[in-house]
Amino acid sequence: MNLHEYQAKKLLSDFNVPIQRGRVVDNLDDLIKNSESLSKETGTSWYVVKAQIHAGGRGKGGGVKLAKNIDELKKFSSDILGMMLKTPQTPPEGKLVKKILITEDVYYPGDEEPDEFYFSILLNRNTSKFMVMYSKQGGMDIEQVAEDTPHLIYYEEVDPLLGLMPNQLRKIAFNLGLSGIAFKNMVSFSKNLFNAFVKTDASLVEINPVLKTSDSKILAVDAKMVLDDNSLFRHKDFENLRDISEENPIEVEAKEAGLNYVDLDGNIGCMVNGAGLAMATMDLIKQSGGEPANFLDVGGTADAKRVEAAFKLILKDPKVKAVLVNIFGGIVRCDRVANGIVDAYKNMGDQIKVPIIVRLQGTNAVEAKEIIDNSGLKIFSAVEFSEVPLRIKEVLS
Ligand code: GDP
Ligand code: MN
């Protein structure tokens, strides 16, 4: 689950990570009241207006603006709120900005070149360890730094049983070129950030930039955080952080229907029961010259209703050029699934523009094939796995 910057900052500050403070608003009527209370808390008279969308690179796209007075604050807020913000990480049409974060300005005037660091914590699945990545070259495109000057990025591998060790904390502050109070502040920043990462079951925390002010404060100016969906049952209070409007609508619908669906980039929609068969089917699609458009496991207990729901879901994806249904009828009978598919097809009528390949094997497979073949619908049926590649090649040509 992705979080917005304002949500991530709130969580981090609960773990004593120093942040650039702010107020989130979703309409202009609340703007002045909130900016006044922010000024009272922080003493700021300059504000930063920051678009809240699930994508980075907002600054470059005009979604982060420094306002040096109330008129500018009003102007930038009304410009950004409701805009379609385009950044290198959004879809081409951009993303609608429904909330803005008004923050204190934490860059001191006269501070020519403030230190902006990059800092992230993630899971390294190859080593089964956490990984802390950090660099003095923060604020800008870290991808570019990684490509042009990879030696400027440092890594600390963290054993999950030991946590981020005191020597590693000191090494991080040292490598970032800090000394004195800033060094101490960086040690506690890293320590608290790592603690927040572990306690919230996050799979990613990325702070870019971490700012060192000229009076040696260390602050999270930006915050990207991804929480592990599989651990959300341990954090019931996080459920209200989910912003469904930012998520893939087909994935949201699948979740509500209790289907395991992951959107992919390919052109062949697939519906399979069982994760193992789903993987084998995706391999088969690739070998046949196609690319899976999704991973969809309707589950071992797939009944006609679930099949129908899944079928409709796949057809909503505009990338899909053909659909492959590959169901093994172990518990569910193939003839029932076949009827489910035929019913779904008839219900959707002329909405179906793409060829459908159905391979049903297991209990009553032969009857199932008859049902499909006799339906008069444009569905290619197959019983043997080996027939499928041929069918895929046919529909792709
Ligand atoms: P991103 O573009 O989506 O990564 O958004 P950020 O939150 O990182 O903000 C973009 C840039 O705005 C930062 O790299 C900073 O240089 C700048 N910025 C953020 N906060 C402040 C601030 O308080 N004062 C000033 N002057 N600049 C800021
Ligand atoms: Mn950033």
Side-chain angles (χ1 to χ4, degrees):
M1 178 166 83
N2 286 315
L3 300 186
H4 285 294
E5 176 194 1
Y6 77 93
Q7 297 170 323
K9 279 181 167 169
K10 167 78 176 63
L11 273 187
L12 295 179
S13 106
D14 290 345
F15 287 90
N16 297 319
V17 177
I19 56 158
Q20 175 197 41
R21 291 162 294 181
R23 300 279 186 273
V24 68
V25 295
D26 60 6
N27 67 78
L28 294 176
D29 296 339
D30 291 346
L31 184 67
I32 298 306
K33 188 175 70 207
N34 278 286
S35 55
E36 280 171 2
S37 94
L38 181 66
S39 289
K40 232 178 231 159
E41 182 193 340
T42 66
T44 192
S45 55
W46 289 8
Y47 307 89
V48 187
V49 181
K50 308 183 82 178
Q52 299 297 291
I53 55 168
H54 284 184
R58 295 162 302 167
K60 283 185 200 152
V64 178
K65 290 262 166 73
L66 178 67
K68 298 185 179 172
N69 54 53
I70 295 294
D71 287 337
E72 282 186 357
L73 174 67
K74 283 185 191 159
K75 168 151 194 341
F76 296 147
S77 298
S78 80
D79 286 350
I80 295 175
L81 199 58
M83 85 187 283
M84 287 298 285
L85 178 56
K86 292 178 196 152
T87 85
Q89 294 180 20
T90 61
E93 71 276 14
K95 276 192 159 182
L96 177 66
V97 181
K98 286 173 299 207
K99 286 189 170 129
I100 49 175
L101 181 65
I102 309 300
T103 71
E104 59 180 324
D105 171 33
V106 286
Y107 290 58
Y108 301 148
D111 210 358
E112 290 294 303
E113 283 193 9
D115 282 322
E116 290 183 314
F117 308 134
Y118 173 90
F119 199 111
S120 67
I121 309 171
L122 43 112
L123 203 61
N124 184 347
R125 291 173 199 275
N126 294 329
T127 57
S128 307
K129 287 183 176 165
F130 297 125
M131 170 112 92
V132 176
M133 275 174 72
Y134 58 103
S135 174
K136 279 199 224 183
Q137 314 304 118
M140 54 170 128
D141 250 335
I142 195 67
E143 289 82 5
Q144 205 59 45
V145 177
E147 198 160 316
D148 300 343
T149 47
H151 59 281
L152 296 181
I153 300 179
Y154 301 99
Y155 302 88
E156 298 297 324
E157 287 257 309
V158 185
D159 187 310
L161 296 178
L162 299 176
L164 196 52
M165 302 294 280
N167 65 313
Q168 291 180 304
L169 291 166
R170 289 193 297 270
K171 196 169 144 207
I172 291 169
F174 177 79
N175 283 337
L176 290 174
L178 301 173
S179 58
I181 297 172
F183 185 101
K184 269 192 173 159
N185 285 340
M186 189 69 218
V187 165
S188 77
F189 179 94
S190 310
K191 192 173 162 184
N192 294 346
L193 190 68
F194 186 80
N195 186 36
F197 172 87
V198 171
K199 295 277 169 58
T200 57
D201 287 312
S203 52
L204 172 77
V205 175
E206 186 181 53
I207 313 294
N208 189 26
V210 174
L211 176 73
K212 176 193 158 273
T213 64
S214 49
D215 59 355
S216 298
K217 287 193 195 107
I218 301 289
L219 294 174
V221 168
D222 191 4
K224 178 184 164 82
M225 216 168 159
V226 182
L227 302 178
D228 183 352
D229 283 317
N230 293 319
S231 73
L232 287 179
F233 73 96
R234 289 206 282 232
H235 307 277
K236 294 279 186 263
D237 49 325
F238 289 174
E239 195 44 48
N240 60 8
L241 299 177
R242 184 178 291 278
D243 183 350
I244 285 184
S245 67
E246 289 273 354
E247 297 183 5
N248 178 310
I250 304 178
E251 286 187 7
V252 170
E253 210 176 306
K255 199 167 186 187
E256 280 163 7
L259 298 163
N260 293 311
Y261 177 98
V262 181
D263 194 52
L264 301 171
D265 291 332
N267 50 5
I268 311 272
C270 38
M271 176 188 345
V272 188
N273 61 340
L277 184 58
M279 288 198 283
T281 305
M282 289 162 77
D283 284 348
L284 189 74
I285 289 172
K286 287 196 114 165
Q287 277 172 14
S288 314
E291 285 286 335
N294 65 277
F295 172 96
L296 172 55
D297 174 9
V298 289
T301 57
D303 56 18
K305 253 190 129 154
R306 280 170 78 81
V307 168
E308 191 173 330
F311 199 58
K312 285 184 179 161
L313 218 59
I314 294 176
L315 287 168
K316 281 191 183 169
D317 181 352
K319 301 188 300 285
V320 167
K321 297 284 171 278
V323 179
L324 170 62
V325 180
N326 189 16
I327 300 241
F328 179 75
I331 298 167
V332 60
R333 282 170 24 205
C334 293
D335 53 326
R336 290 220 175 151
V337 174
N339 280 323
I341 291 168
V342 169
D343 284 351
Y345 198 109
K346 283 183 178 157
N347 285 340
M348 297 186 72
D350 49 357
Q351 285 176 52
I352 301 184
K353 303 262 190 285
V354 299
I356 316 286
I357 307 163
V358 176
R359 185 258 179 168
L360 297 168
Q361 183 55 282
T363 312
N364 292 357
V366 176
E367 289 85 339
K369 185 169 164 47
E370 274 169 18
I371 291 169
I372 288 179
D373 290 344
N374 295 334
S375 69
L377 301 171
K378 234 188 117 197
I379 307 179
F380 302 94
S381 65
V383 174
E384 297 303 327
F385 211 35
S386 54
E387 295 170 56
V388 173
L390 201 73
R391 293 289 184 206
I392 291 179
K393 282 183 185 135
E394 260 170 39
V395 302
L396 285 179
S397 64

